């Protein structure tokens, strides 16, 4: 059995599914698939439930310049692959992100303001998910979303 590619998966998923599409692309190069990404998301009715994210603020800035009609979110956390100056979410000023997506382990050390919308990743425990949502997170990203939803 083969895994479906992204565009095939859009045909299978319900439009009610929330999509967090992480774009991994070097900032120095143009993003050749943007038009296809935007048109496919719209074609399959994923207008309301989609967040486009990246660790790279340059990618998010490119999305906005390309007329992206979806919210964009800057992913950040204290991980070695991310340049030190971007580990606290400071790239949001460059890309004007609509959301911040912060690693659960770094939530206490972030520089976001309470009114800024943010998501937390990776949350796999129901009690932690409840605490974070009660504390202001707009959503969580989980490897076990079905179990957490069942217990909420």
């Amino acid at each position: 059995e083969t895994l479906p590619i992204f565009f095939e998966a859009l045909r299978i998923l319900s439009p009610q599914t929330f999509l967090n599409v992480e774009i991994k692309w070097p900032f120095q190069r143009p993003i050749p698939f943007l038009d296809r990404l935007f048109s496919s998301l719209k074609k399959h009715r994923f207008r309301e439930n989609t967040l486009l994210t990246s660790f790279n603020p340059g990618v998010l800035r490119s999305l906005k310049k390309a007329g992206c009609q979806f919210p964009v979110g800057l992913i950040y956390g204290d991980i070695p692959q991310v340049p030190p100056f971007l580990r606290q979410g400071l790239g949001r000023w460059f890309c004007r992100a609509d959301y911040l997506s912060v690693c659960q382990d770094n939530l206490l050390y972030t520089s976001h303001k309470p009114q800024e919308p943010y998501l937390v990743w990776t949350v796999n425990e129901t009690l932690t998910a409840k605490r974070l949502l009660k504390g202001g997170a707009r959503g969580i990203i989980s490897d076990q979303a079905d179990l957490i939803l069942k217990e909420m």
Side-chain angles (χ1 to χ4, degrees), residues 6-20:
F6 179 76
F7 299 107
E8 292 171 341
L10 289 178
R11 281 183 255 151
I12 298 167
L13 294 170
S14 161
Q16 286 77 37
T17 303
F18 180 82
L19 293 179
N20 178 14

Side-chain angles (χ1 to χ4, degrees), residues 84-104:
F85 69 95
L86 294 177
R87 292 181 187 170
Q88 299 301 317
L90 298 177
R92 72 179 174 274
W93 306 118
F94 174 73
C95 66
R96 295 188 215 117
D98 302 304
Y99 278 83
L100 298 173
S101 185
V102 61
C103 175
Q104 175 183 231

Side-chain angles (χ1 to χ4, degrees), residues 13-137:
L13 294 170
S14 161
Q16 286 77 37
T17 303
F18 180 82
L19 293 179
N20 178 14
V21 181
E22 182 180 345
I23 299 174
K24 298 180 181 187
W25 196 259
F27 177 53
Q28 302 80 7
R29 296 177 39 207
I31 306 172
F33 54 83
L34 282 187
D35 288 338
R36 185 169 180 210
L37 173 64
F38 295 159
S39 64
S40 292
L41 289 169
K42 290 174 186 174
K43 175 183 173 185
H44 296 286
R45 302 181 315 279
F46 284 100
R47 288 178 188 240
E48 306 298 321
N49 317 13
T50 300
L51 176 65
L52 304 178
T53 60
S54 182
F55 278 101
N56 186 336
V59 166
L60 299 178
R61 188 174 179 141
S62 294
L63 291 174
K64 292 229 173 197
K65 282 185 175 182
C68 181
Q69 296 177 356
F70 299 95
V72 300
L74 179 67
I75 307 170
Y76 68 97
D78 191 17
I79 56 175
Q81 297 88 343
V82 175
F85 69 95
L86 294 177
R87 292 181 187 170
Q88 299 301 317
L90 298 177
R92 72 179 174 274
W93 306 118
F94 174 73
C95 66
R96 295 188 215 117
D98 302 304
Y99 278 83
L100 298 173
S101 185
V102 61
C103 175
Q104 175 183 231
D105 298 339
N106 299 111
L107 195 56
L108 295 175
Y109 309 104
T110 62
S111 61
H112 74 272
K113 297 175 185 168
Q115 69 272 19
E116 288 181 306
Y118 67 97
L119 308 171
V120 184
W121 55 275
T122 301
V123 180
N124 290 326
E125 297 173 4
T126 305
L127 291 176
T128 303
K130 287 179 180 179
R131 180 178 52 78
L132 291 167
L133 292 170
K134 194 177 247 185

